[in-house]
């Protein structure tokens, strides 16, 4: 195999961490992580595998009690008991110790265990929940990763079966220290790579027979409508499809359909000139037919008789080499940026245990890294370790509320097996019924999900273009798609944080609140990076009230609505209500969100000249903005900008001088800093390098936001904004919020008047709620009033 297909691995463990005897071997990788092997031939696997690539952990302190018929291994966290026979339920167990004893759990070999589950291969043809595979995170304190069936990665980069049959397990005994468990999992199975910056914008994708002209017209319409996209995906009709029954189904193809795309190179350049990266769809299972442009050279190289079909055989090294050389590299030279590997043909190949999907993901990702390029694929999940090959394509879901309702949980839960970059068919793929509200809620979730790829099946009525929906839905979709691109600086920093610090963008609530019962019972709520909590709305609205409801748990502390500035006290569960135009996202007190300002180059996602910072009242905080030149992570030139916020009666927000390769970012930037949750203040000063600089100030009373606009600020110097406050988060304007709720509601005017008069005349919350209870109000109306009154 060529050098580029050799994944960097460190499969040999520290020999001081090994306890070995006849037919068994235990490797203590950390005080909480143990490898358990049994082989009747007493031969053990030291190669990397498809899942595990790095067993080089530091030396661990542990005790061994070795007797004739028993063995104990004791670390600070776990105790292993083994009877020195074939692994069995009665003969091998591990107990959690120390701080983990609260969970009182003992794992016994082969016994079913409870964990919080991970993810699944695909959501194809699903319209709701599906079973998920095991993860490594468990509220019971332990989980087990079975690597026994993994093939090995040889030193030359090829994959081969194990030489002997063995049991090969990894026991994770981390209690509820979920983030440490995940960090050690990434050490064991490989880091999550950095995504290229463009991947974090909006993606346009549709199964549709576009022509070059209709695709260009669509992209121009998006530009005119000021709807940004950074990725253009072409489904299978980019290649020859109508090939006749003698040439197969037409699903597999590598030759441009020049009736639709007469000038592929020119078309791809046109897209690149508009800041769009391009991905083409692949269905490689049917091999290469004689009509393909690349057939002749490939057949000659593989020794296939002219005119005979070239079978797809991922187990053949020569085929794999030719597959890239003739079928992909020429297209990449023309302008294809990455590939959508749409494998749907199962997990069998000519080599027992070799999953073609894993092979395609592994080698496509490595192949695209050549020439120090940052790699990317779009493909289905192929088991533990797949996080090394982002991005995940979740498949063809049904267009329905139940499918949407499952996706936030499915996405967050995938972090339990380290899989943090799912891309869904946002809006749903097929079937179902047109529902403008459903489309809006799905896209709102997409904006606050790892990858926002709009997609749909073929058919004249299936597109996700915003103008196909009613005027309100159209307006909201456009606003949220613009927001996604504005959030790229925040998302890219989280991308770096995921790669460098092993902290996924999307985290279930229990990661940071492991001992809170509530954190395990709001499955569709999740942390969205370090500063935000997202609570997607996945059920229809109450038509009379014009609002939709979602159950929310806010952890202890103060929280502020990202969009409205409404303040909430945490440490409680509540029903949260929002109209179609709004979406429940909560910023922690003191949150700092770096954003970009959209320009006439609507699709651009590069390091911006014009930046916005959204700063929330209530608490001290610090955030480090990460930017780089988007090169491969091994060679990237990076810049770090520290952002600090001190909350007091003299609140100070500082943009510190950038550190690193200053050539990566502009010498000067224009800033708009929005301070949300603040009272209006005239006591504002802005200095750079100790000198006062001019600024423009406005105040938005509706969202309690002070807006400070600054121009031509040097990125190499510290900038400080000081604001005089009363040291309190701005109180909600309860009466206005209640008025807006009642004004929207399709209920009796007399009832509206009565409720509003009670709110205006009474000041005691308990009394107000008691009076409202006597009216026997609809449940959602009463709960919506409670959300505002008790925030």
């Amino acid at each position: 195999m060529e050098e580029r297909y050799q994944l960097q691995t460190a499969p040999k463990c520290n020999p001081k961490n090994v306890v070995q005897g006849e037919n068994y071997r235990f490797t203590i990788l950390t005080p909480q992580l143990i490898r358990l092997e049994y082989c009747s031939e007493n031969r053990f696997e030291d190669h990397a595998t498809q899942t595990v690539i790095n067993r080089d952990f530091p030396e661990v302190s542990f005790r061994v009690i070795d007797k004739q018929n028993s063995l104990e291994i004791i670390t600070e966290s776990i105790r292993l008991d083994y009877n020195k026979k074939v692994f069995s339920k009665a003969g091998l167990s591990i107990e959690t110790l120390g701080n983990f004893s609260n969970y009182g759990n003992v794992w016994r070999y082969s016994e079913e265990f409870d964990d919080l589950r991970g993810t699944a291969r695909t959501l194809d043809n699903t319209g709701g929940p599906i079973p998920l595979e095991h993860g490594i995170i468990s509220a019971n304190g332990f989980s087990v990763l079975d690597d026994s069936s993994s093939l090995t990665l040889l030193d030359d980069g090829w994959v081969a079966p194990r030489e002997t049959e063995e049991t090969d397990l990894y026991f994770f005994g981390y209690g509820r220290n979920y983030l440490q468990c995940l960090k050690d999992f990434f050490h064991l199975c490989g880091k999550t790579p950095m995504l290229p910056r463009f991947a974090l914008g909006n993606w346009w994708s549709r199964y549709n027979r576009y022509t070059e002209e209709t695709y260009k017209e669509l992209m121009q319409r998006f530009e005119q409508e000021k709807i940004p996209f950074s990725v253009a995906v072409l489904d299978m009709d980019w290649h020859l499809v109508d090939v006749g029954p003698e040439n197969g189904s037409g699903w597999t193809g590598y030759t441009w359909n020049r009736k639709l795309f007469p000038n592929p190179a020119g078309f791809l350049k046109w897209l690149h000139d508009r800041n769009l990266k391009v991905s083409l769809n692949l269905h490689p299972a049917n091999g290469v037919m004689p009509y393909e442009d690349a057939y002749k050279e490939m057949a000659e190289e593989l020794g296939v008789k002219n005119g005979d079909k070239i079978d797809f055989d991922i187990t053949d090294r020569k085929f794999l080499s030719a597959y890239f050389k003739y079928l992909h590299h020429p297209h990449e030279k023309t302008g294809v940026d990455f590939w959508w590997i749409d494998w749907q043909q199962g997990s069998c190949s000519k080599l027992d245990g070799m999953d073609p999907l894993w092979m395609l993901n592994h080698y496509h990702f490595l192949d695209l890294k050549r020439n120090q390029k940052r790699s990317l694929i779009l493909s289905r999940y192929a088991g533990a370790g797949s996080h090394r090959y982002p991005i995940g394509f979740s498949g063809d879901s049904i267009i329905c509320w139940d499918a949407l309702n499952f996706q936030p949980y499915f996405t967050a839960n995938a972090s339990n097996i380290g899989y943090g970059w799912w891309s869904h068919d946002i809006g749903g793929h097929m079937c179902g019924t047109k529902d403008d509200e459903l489309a809006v809620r799905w896209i709102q979730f997409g904006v606050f999900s790892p990858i926002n790829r709009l997609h749909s099946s073929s058919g004249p009525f299936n597109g996700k273009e915003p103008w196909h929906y009613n005027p309100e839905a159209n307006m909201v979709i456009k606003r949220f798609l613009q927001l996604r691109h504005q959030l790229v600086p925040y998302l890219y920093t989280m991308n770096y944080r995921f790669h460098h610090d092993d902290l996924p963008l999307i985290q279930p609530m229990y990661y940071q609140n492991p001992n809170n019962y509530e954190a395990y019972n709001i499955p569709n709520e999740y942390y969205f990076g370090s500063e935000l909590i997202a609570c997607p709305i996945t059920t229809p609205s109450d038509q009379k009230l014009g609002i939709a409801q979602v159950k929310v748990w806010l952890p202890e502390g103060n929280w502020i609505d990202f969009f409205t500035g409404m303040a909430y006290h945490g440490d409680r569960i509540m029903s949260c209500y929002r109209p179609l135009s709004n979406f429940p996202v909560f910023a922690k007190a003191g949150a700092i969100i770096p954003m970009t300002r959209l320009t006439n180059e609507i699709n651009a996602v590069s390091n911006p000249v014009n930046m916005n910072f959204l700063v929330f009242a209530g608490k001290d905080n610090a955030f480090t903005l990460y930017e780089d030149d988007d090169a491969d992570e091994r060679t990237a030139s990076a810049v770090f900008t520290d952002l600090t916020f001190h909350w007091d009666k003299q609140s100070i927000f500082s943009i510190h001088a950038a550190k690193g390769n200053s050539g990566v970012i502009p010498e000067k930037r224009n800033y708009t800093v929005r301070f949300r949750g603040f009272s209006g203040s005239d006591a504002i000063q802005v200095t750079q390098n100790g000198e006062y600089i001019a600024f423009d100030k406005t105040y938005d009373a509706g969202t309690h936001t002070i807006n400070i606009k600054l121009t031509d600020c040097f990125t190499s110097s510290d900038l400080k904004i000081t604001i005089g406050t009363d040291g309190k988060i701005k109180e909600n304007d309860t009466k206005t919020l209640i008025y807006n709720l009642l004004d929207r509601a399709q209920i009796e005017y007399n009832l509206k008047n009565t409720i509003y008069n009670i709110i205006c005349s009474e000041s005691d919350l308990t009394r107000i709620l008691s009076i409202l209870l006597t009216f026997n109000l609809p449940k959602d109306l009463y709960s919506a009033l409670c959300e505002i009154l008790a925030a």
Side-chain angles (χ1 to χ4, degrees), residues 461-475:
F461 302 105
N462 285 75
K464 297 297 189 302
E465 295 89 344
W467 50 85
H468 286 323
Y469 301 101
N470 67 49
E472 182 186 12
N474 176 22
M475 178 187 68

Side-chain angles (χ1 to χ4, degrees), residues 311-550:
D311 290 328
F312 175 83
D313 185 3
I314 201 74
T315 67
D316 185 329
R317 297 190 194 210
K318 288 184 64 178
F319 172 84
L320 188 69
S321 177
Y323 170 82
F324 288 117
K325 180 178 179 181
Y326 297 110
L327 302 180
H328 297 87
H329 293 173
H331 288 303
E332 292 166 24
K333 188 175 181 180
T334 303
V336 175
D337 296 289
F338 67 102
W339 299 92
W340 171 13
I341 307 163
D342 201 352
W343 180 264
Q344 304 173 57
Q345 284 74 35
S347 57
C348 295
S349 67
K350 290 184 178 180
L351 180 61
D352 189 34
M354 184 180 283
D355 183 348
L357 173 62
W358 186 92
M359 293 286 284
L360 286 164
N361 292 353
H362 179 75
Y363 288 111
H364 262 284
F365 192 86
L366 293 178
D367 181 73
L368 206 57
K369 287 177 76 71
R370 66 188 187 278
N371 302 323
Q372 302 298 307
K373 182 176 180 179
R374 189 174 291 180
S375 190
L376 185 71
I377 61 170
L378 178 64
S379 187
R380 287 173 172 80
Y381 175 76
S386 290
H387 64 274
R388 298 192 300 264
Y389 318 113
I391 295 168
F393 164 50
S394 71
D396 302 341
S397 61
I398 306 299
I399 302 171
C400 64
W401 284 99
D402 284 345
L404 170 59
N405 188 45
F406 183 60
Q407 285 191 2
Y409 163 73
F410 179 84
T411 307
N413 218 68
S415 294
N416 291 343
I417 194 65
Y419 201 67
W421 292 114
W422 266 125
S423 169
H424 302 301
D425 286 1
I426 295 299
H429 178 73
M430 59 188 179
C431 304
T433 303
K434 183 173 183 181
D435 185 327
D436 290 9
E437 182 185 7
L438 172 61
V440 171
R441 295 305 190 193
W442 217 320
I443 286 169
Q444 288 171 334
F445 162 64
V447 169
F448 287 92
S449 72
I451 302 295
N452 190 34
R453 179 179 52 84
L454 280 63
H455 185 72
S456 57
S457 61
S458 61
F461 302 105
N462 285 75
K464 297 297 189 302
E465 295 89 344
W467 50 85
H468 286 323
Y469 301 101
N470 67 49
E472 182 186 12
N474 176 22
M475 178 187 68
V476 176
I477 290 171
K478 286 169 62 174
R479 182 166 62 89
F480 271 82
L481 292 177
Q482 290 169 349
L483 174 62
R484 177 69 185 202
H485 274 233
Q486 291 171 323
L487 285 168
V488 166
Y490 176 72
L491 293 168
Y492 197 68
T493 299
M494 296 302 120
N495 177 26
Y496 172 77
R497 183 174 175 256
F498 192 3
H499 168 69
H500 186 265
D501 299 326
D502 303 311
L503 295 168
L505 167 68
I506 304 287
Q507 294 181 22
M509 295 302 294
Y510 47 77
Y511 276 24
Q512 296 184 40
N513 308 278
N515 296 316
N516 287 82
Y517 171 81
E518 296 87 352
Y520 298 86
N521 290 281
I522 29 81
N524 277 10
E525 181 179 330
Y526 49 83
Y527 286 99
F528 189 70
S530 61
E531 311 297 290
L532 301 172
I533 290 174
C535 310
I537 291 173
T538 59
T539 55
S541 64
D542 182 309
Q543 293 302 306
K544 285 192 174 183
L545 299 180
I547 50 178
Q549 179 264 350
V550 62

Side-chain angles (χ1 to χ4, degrees), residues 8 35 68 93 117 155 195 240 259 266 322 347 371 374 417 419 502 541 566 604 645 655 675 702 735 742 747 751 754:
Q8 186 173 355
R35 185 187 189 194
Q68 183 175 352
S93 64
R117 296 287 161 168
D155 294 341
L195 300 187
L240 296 173
K259 291 182 180 179
S347 57
N371 302 323
R374 189 174 291 180
I417 194 65
Y419 201 67
D502 303 311
S541 64
M566 185 172 172
F645 178 57
I655 305 170
F675 295 93
K735 292 179 183 178
L742 293 172
I747 59 176
L751 180 58
T754 301

Side-chain angles (χ1 to χ4, degrees), residues 46 60 92 202 266 317 351 390 538 547 563 568-569 663 702 752:
D46 287 323
V60 179
L92 176 61
N202 299 313
R317 297 190 194 210
L351 180 61
T538 59
I547 50 178
F563 295 101
Y568 293 83
H569 298 293
K752 291 187 184 191

